[in-house]
Amino acid sequence: MKNIIIIVVVIFLILAGFFFFQNREEKVDLVEEEIEKVLTEEEMSDSEDYLDMQGYYLYPPEDYDCEGGFTDGYRYLDAECTPKDRSDYVINVGAGLASSGINWEEGKLVGNQIVVRSFEFTGGQYGKIVCEEFYSEDLKLDAEYYLCKYFEDGDYVITMGVGKSFYHPNSSFARWFEADLVVKEDDDEYTEGDYIDKLVKFLDESVKINWDDYAPES
């Protein structure tokens, strides 16, 4: 009888030890999972390096250094983006989304922009700035685009306008922003088309915007 009791006690201790260590291992695994989850979230947060542009977001491509956006906890600045491997141009992106009315009859100035039927900037002209409607399969922002070319303070500037028209019986309007590629140095290696391609690629890679946030209520 005594031997049986000893055997039962030994078995109990073995089982208790087994469950104790198994439970401890499960807790350790849970702690490790939580730590890994936190680290992953922090890494994801670090990788989400973007500029808040007041109405949309700018995610700088790897080959650009950008500064601006929401800063100092209270104001928005235009973003200035400099290519890391070149010094002949910079790209400036405007903070905020402007709003303009839609002229259904003919082109007219709204602020300093030319609004021509449903936000089409076809053949418009403002001073020495010539703007025209623009289309590229490489620019996929679900928007309408216009392109302007002009000289400012001795620099050649290519401006890309990005906008969206909203139609409603009581409130038809457009929301838009602009990005300027400013050629800072003359370089015979690059043509106007090269710079336009650079601007298109930059906008397609960097801009994230949800136009539904600005659609009028039905």
Side-chain angles (χ1 to χ4, degrees):
M1 184 68 179
K2 184 177 179 180
N3 291 338
I4 295 175
I5 294 174
I6 293 173
I7 292 172
V8 170
V9 171
V10 170
I11 293 174
F12 173 79
L13 292 174
I14 291 173
L15 291 174
F18 171 78
F19 286 114
F20 171 79
F21 285 108
Q22 185 181 44
N23 187 47
R24 186 171 181 273
E25 288 179 0
E26 289 177 354
K27 288 182 178 179
V28 169
D29 290 340
L30 287 174
V31 171
E32 289 179 349
E33 287 179 6
E34 287 299 319
I35 292 174
E36 184 177 350
K37 181 180 178 182
V38 170
L39 289 176
T40 302
E41 289 175 350
E42 288 179 353
E43 289 171 359
M44 289 177 64
S45 177
D46 291 340
S47 67
E48 294 295 305
D49 184 17
Y50 63 87
L51 302 181
D52 182 350
M53 300 301 293
Q54 193 175 20
Y56 64 101
Y57 297 95
L58 189 69
Y59 292 75
E62 293 182 356
D63 49 345
Y64 285 85
D65 288 320
C66 296
E67 56 184 21
F70 185 64
T71 184
D72 296 336
Y74 68 95
R75 63 175 179 171
Y76 291 87
L77 299 177
D78 293 350
E80 181 175 306
C81 298
T82 306
K84 295 179 179 179
D85 59 345
R86 293 170 59 167
S87 60
D88 55 313
Y89 73 90
V90 296
I91 294 177
N92 300 318
V93 186
L97 284 178
S99 181
S100 63
I102 295 176
N103 178 19
W104 296 98
E105 301 300 327
E106 60 183 355
K108 70 174 183 179
L109 290 177
V110 177
N112 65 344
Q113 298 299 319
I114 306 148
V115 179
V116 183
R117 289 178 66 87
S118 70
F119 207 74
E120 293 177 1
F121 285 67
T122 306
Q125 183 169 334
Y126 173 64
K128 296 182 180 180
I129 301 174
V130 176
C131 304
E132 58 185 5
E133 187 177 10
F134 181 81
Y135 172 78
S136 171
E137 292 182 353
D138 297 324
L139 196 51
K140 301 175 289 292
L141 296 178
D142 186 29
E144 300 156 77
Y145 314 100
Y146 62 90
L147 193 69
C148 309
K149 310 165 193 175
Y150 52 97
F151 284 93
E152 184 174 68
D153 298 329
D155 296 325
Y156 185 56
V157 182
I158 299 172
T159 294
M160 181 75 72
V162 180
K164 186 80 169 179
S165 301
F166 299 98
Y167 306 101
H168 190 270
N170 298 322
S171 58
S172 295
F173 61 96
R175 300 297 295 266
W176 51 271
F177 71 93
E178 291 181 332
D180 304 324
L181 186 149
V182 184
V183 181
K184 306 300 291 185
E185 300 175 5
D186 292 331
D187 194 326
D188 295 336
E189 182 181 352
Y190 304 108
T191 66
E192 180 184 89
D194 294 327
Y195 288 120
I196 293 174
D197 290 342
K198 282 290 184 184
L199 185 54
V200 167
K201 185 173 185 292
F202 175 87
L203 291 173
D204 187 63
E205 291 181 353
S206 65
V207 173
K208 306 296 181 186
I209 185 169
N210 184 7
W211 294 110
D212 291 339
D213 292 341
Y214 307 100
E217 296 182 359
S218 58

